[in-house]
Amino acid sequence: MKLKFSSHFLFTVCQLGAESALKKEVARDYPHFKFAYSCPGFLTFKQEMGEELPFDFIFQSVFSRAYGISLGKLSWNEAGELSEWAREWAQQFPKKSLRLHLWERDFHSPGEEPLGFIRGCLAEQLRQKFSSFLLDSSVAEIGDPVLDLIVLGPDELWVGAHIHSGQHSRWPGGQTPIELPLEAPSRAYLKLEESLLWSGAPLRAGDTAVEIGSAPGGASFGLLKRGLRVVGIDPAQMDPWILKNPLFHHHQQTVNSVLRESLPESVQWVLLDMNVEPRICLFSVERLVSRMKDSLLGVFLTLKLNQWKIAEDIPEILDHVRAMGMSRLKTAQLYHHRQEIIVYGLTRKGLARK
């Protein structure tokens, strides 16, 4: 296959199981894009009207972790053609470093990998084939041209490219490299850390965070490590290390039974992670947030999509969060999420913090 420098096709990468939600999102927000090809966790769409897609095309999506202009499929034995194409494309950006984003599509859902599974083995085999023209660091900066190589399976390679922007993940495939510390009580630590990297939220040591659905304490662990004071609300038991930390206080009760007067007078952040339908969660959050507006900087709301059809309600869900006083919202399904999304909101006061 001969690689070109332009295309009408877009590739997108999503979590296993989210393919249908992504298709519906594209049909709603990009009606001129038509579904073209998919395998688990990977989809392409063709723009049927207008000019070919530019490499700096901006695609806004909740469920797409990574995207770019789709250039087609190659076998692993066609590395020579790929290296020649990459060199020619790099010449169009003489003042920039060409980055390589090489990764495997998801073969398992996060946290559900079988014993002994090592992510990235196929990608590493392919990387050895390209050792003669290895590119610069895979962590992309704004404006960098990026060559996307997606390993779909043994000897199956999809090729794409993009110009890195704030709408792209800095890491290949949106697979944020975070390790779970042995002492962390749960995977919620991974979700928190990734959310903070993705959002760039201006948390500071000394801030106070109220975490709804805190047990057993994975997210609280990350916040406490940053020097925040944390008030956890959960009827379940917290991890003993968390309970011993002097910066932590536990309300071992349901969120609806917690009185606003029992919480600190000044609260900067509200976090939510409950296995409850989003609309029910939001009313619980709204009740507390309405009394925090003088000090509140922002919210991190992890909302469960226990049924994928709930994804169709995301625009209305965002309107609800916006009505809580959020001046800016971002939402995504990140790599360490399961069947859930994160909604990050900042108040005007939060936007003003540097």
Side-chain angles (χ1 to χ4, degrees):
M1 174 182 174
K2 181 65 176 178
L3 292 175
K4 302 185 298 181
F5 287 99
S6 60
S7 173
H8 284 281
F9 289 86
L10 178 83
F11 81 81
T12 66
V13 176
C14 68
Q15 185 189 102
L16 296 184
E19 298 87 359
S20 178
L22 178 54
K23 286 182 184 178
K24 291 179 180 179
E25 185 181 33
V26 171
R28 182 191 67 217
D29 298 338
Y30 297 88
H32 54 294
F33 278 24
K34 302 302 178 184
F35 169 69
Y37 167 84
S38 75
C39 67
F42 179 86
L43 301 89
T44 67
F45 298 88
K46 181 180 181 182
Q47 179 179 241
E48 296 202 329
M49 297 176 59
E51 300 178 352
E52 293 177 314
L53 295 170
F55 287 106
D56 59 357
F57 176 74
I58 298 298
F59 178 61
Q60 295 182 317
S61 166
V62 173
F63 295 100
S64 177
R65 284 204 320 259
Y67 72 92
I69 306 308
S70 176
L71 300 173
K73 187 165 61 173
L74 293 178
S75 72
W76 288 24
N77 293 325
E78 296 176 291
E81 178 180 335
L82 182 60
S83 62
E84 180 182 349
W85 183 93
R87 289 191 185 97
E88 291 181 13
W89 193 53
Q91 291 174 4
Q92 302 181 33
F93 309 93
K95 297 183 179 180
K96 292 287 185 178
S97 297
L98 178 60
R99 308 290 185 178
L100 174 64
H101 275 195
L102 167 61
W103 76 95
E104 298 172 7
R105 69 170 179 86
D106 292 0
F107 293 109
H108 304 282
S109 298
E112 298 179 10
E113 298 85 354
L115 187 65
F117 174 77
I118 301 176
R119 176 169 59 87
C121 287
L122 288 176
E124 186 55 36
Q125 293 176 30
L126 188 60
R127 189 182 299 276
Q128 298 305 316
K129 285 184 172 288
F130 297 148
S131 59
S132 62
F133 73 105
L134 284 176
L135 309 177
D136 287 327
S137 167
S138 61
V139 178
E141 303 295 341
I142 300 297
D144 284 345
V146 180
L147 177 63
D148 296 294
L149 304 181
I150 308 101
V151 180
L152 301 185
D155 199 38
E156 190 174 2
L157 173 68
W158 208 276
V159 183
H162 70 270
I163 304 299
H164 184 69
S165 74
Q167 292 294 325
H168 292 89
S169 172
R170 298 178 65 205
W171 293 277
Q175 298 176 352
T176 312
I178 303 171
E179 297 293 332
L180 183 66
L182 292 176
E183 62 272 26
S186 71
R187 288 187 70 259
Y189 171 85
L190 297 174
K191 295 192 291 183
L192 172 78
E193 292 298 312
E194 186 172 20
S195 296
L196 294 179
L197 281 172
W198 162 77
S199 66
L203 275 70
R204 293 178 184 169
D207 285 350
T208 296
V210 170
E211 185 187 359
I212 303 169
S214 56
S220 294
F221 178 83
L223 294 170
L224 293 168
K225 285 288 189 180
R226 283 178 162 77
L228 277 75
R229 292 184 290 270
V230 182
V231 177
I233 301 175
D234 200 310
Q237 185 65 42
M238 298 295 298
D239 181 85
W241 184 92
I242 303 294
L243 290 174
K244 292 177 182 177
N245 193 303
L247 294 176
F248 183 82
H249 178 75
H250 186 201
H251 286 273
Q252 194 169 5
Q253 57 193 117
T254 64
V255 61
N256 290 330
S257 63
V258 173
L259 299 177
R260 174 62 184 93
E261 292 74 16
S262 66
L263 299 177
E265 182 175 343
S266 177
V267 174
Q268 283 69 54
W269 305 98
V270 171
L271 294 88
L272 168 78
D273 193 351
M274 295 172 59
N275 192 22
V276 179
E277 198 273 331
R279 294 186 186 277
I280 298 174
C281 289
L282 291 178
F283 283 113
S284 299
V285 172
E286 186 176 29
R287 183 180 70 87
L288 297 181
V289 164
S290 63
R291 301 287 296 276
M292 301 174 179
K293 290 185 177 179
D294 291 340
S295 60
L296 190 66
L297 300 180
V299 297
F300 288 87
L301 309 178
T302 302
L303 302 177
K304 310 298 182 181
L305 307 179
N306 294 330
Q307 300 179 39
W308 281 111
K309 66 179 182 180
I310 297 175
E312 299 174 23
D313 299 331
I314 289 177
E316 290 76 16
I317 289 172
L318 296 181
D319 286 342
H320 193 157
V321 178
R322 196 173 286 111
M324 295 181 192
M326 300 302 124
S327 297
R328 179 183 296 171
L329 289 179
K330 289 180 63 177
T331 185
Q333 185 177 46
L334 301 175
Y335 177 63
H336 289 101
H337 282 144
R338 291 179 172 169
Q339 197 165 323
E340 58 197 352
I341 61 172
I342 181 72
V343 177
Y344 166 62
L346 283 177
T347 64
R348 289 184 180 180
K349 190 170 183 178
L351 285 171
R353 175 181 272 195
K354 302 297 184 181

